[in-house]
Every structure is written in structure tokens, then in C-alpha cells.
Amino acid sequence: MLGIKMSVQMHERLRARIRQLGMSVADVAREAGVNRSFVYDILRGKSLVPNLEKLTRIAGVVKVELEWLLTGKGTVHGDDPITDDYHNEFVAIQYVAVRPSMGGGAVVEQAEERSGRDFHFRRAWIRDRLKAAPSMLRVMAVQGDSMLPTLNDGDTILVDMNQRNPSPSGVFVLHDGMGLVAKRLEHVPMSEPPRVRIISDNARYSPYECTSGEVNIIGRVRWYGREM
């Protein structure tokens, strides 16, 4: 069991404990007297060395020792949320109702709109293969034909919002100023200001370039699913 605890990262331990207690991020932040952004940064894996005084207050709110949050070795009041099957459990990834276009783009009004169709992936796959934080993943459906044959109209994609750097090149979801699109991005070497090349895998569509400030990269596409 200790080996499992030690292999789980701090943001995973805190998220599992918050979920076990039936609390929200707002509850934890309010009772600990910290900003919600402080808690969110930990849960998203962005804050690897948070302020220890604030983290101690959070540990008190979720009824664990600070050492447990940091290393997994400390005491937990009640049942430990990190079980022997933790890595084999499935984790829910939020599905958002926006549909990135692979043509001219689709305007996004509510990027966080839920459809009630969360997808479930094995935690170990997300951690070991994708090396991603579940809270920063989103599932979307794509539309259009400009990314054929890589992506088909109606494919489901998994987007890592922690990966917004187009180097190395890959397929990303981005807002190009006109709408939300799924495209292949390449950094243009030696460009000043920095530029990105936006490419459709379907040769019928011409590539185009923008400065990095003209595009809002939502995240890198890490997986896709398709109905036969």
C-alpha cells in the first residue's frame, strides 16, 4: 500500500480526499481561508511547491496530516482514499458540448457547458501514458472534413489543456479569431514575433499563419475515438 501512496502525486491525493469527503473546492478554500485559485492550481498539477502554511490549513480542513498530502506517508482521519486499486480505477473526464470545427470554425459561447456525458478513462493510462492531470482534460466532438484522414467528422477527441505549446508540432484545438477549430500546428522557426503555421491534413485546405498572439490554443489532442 505504501508503494501505491508514494506513486500518487499530491494533486491526486488532495482531489481524492476532497471527493471522498463530499466537499467542493469552494468549501475547502473558504474553510482554509485561501483563494480558490490556490486550491485549483494544486489540483491541476500546476503548483508543485505550494505555500506550506496555506497547505497546512488545507490539510486541517480535509482532516489529514500535511505529510500525507506531501508524500502519502502521513495519517488520514478515517479511511484512506488511496486504495490498492487506485491506479486501476476509472476517472470521469468532463465532456463539453462545444464542437471544434475542422472547416471554418465554430463560435464558442460557453466553453464549459456540460452535456452530462462524461467519459471514463483508466487512471493509470492517464497518469503513465499521457502524464496528464485529469482535471485539465476535456472531451469534445469535432466536425468537418479539413483534418481527413486524421480526424473524421463526428470523432471524439481528448484535449489536454495543460499542453498549449505548439512545439513539438501536433494536432490542437484552438480559437483562431473566427471560431474554435481542430488543426495541426507548427511553430515557425526564427519568426519574430513568434508565429504558428495552422495546417489542415486534408490537402484541399490551404495552410495559413498567425502570430502566437492572434491564436488562443486550448490544448493538444491526445486521443481520439470513432464509431464504426
Side-chain angles (χ1 to χ4, degrees), residues 187-220:
H187 169 67
V188 179
M190 309 297 292
S191 55
E192 184 58 43
R195 300 181 67 82
V196 291
R197 183 173 293 112
I198 302 173
I199 304 166
S200 300
D201 286 359
N202 187 338
R204 291 175 51 207
Y205 295 83
S206 300
Y208 57 100
E209 292 185 8
C210 294
T211 66
S212 58
E214 292 174 324
V215 297
N216 176 22
I217 299 176
I218 306 302
R220 183 184 291 265

Side-chain angles (χ1 to χ4, degrees), residues 71-101:
T71 69
K73 293 182 180 179
T75 301
V76 177
H77 180 76
D79 295 332
D80 193 319
I82 308 301
T83 66
D84 290 335
D85 292 328
Y86 179 78
H87 287 304
N88 291 321
E89 294 174 354
F90 285 82
V91 59
I93 302 300
Q94 181 180 337
Y95 178 94
V96 291
V98 297
R99 291 176 60 86
S101 172

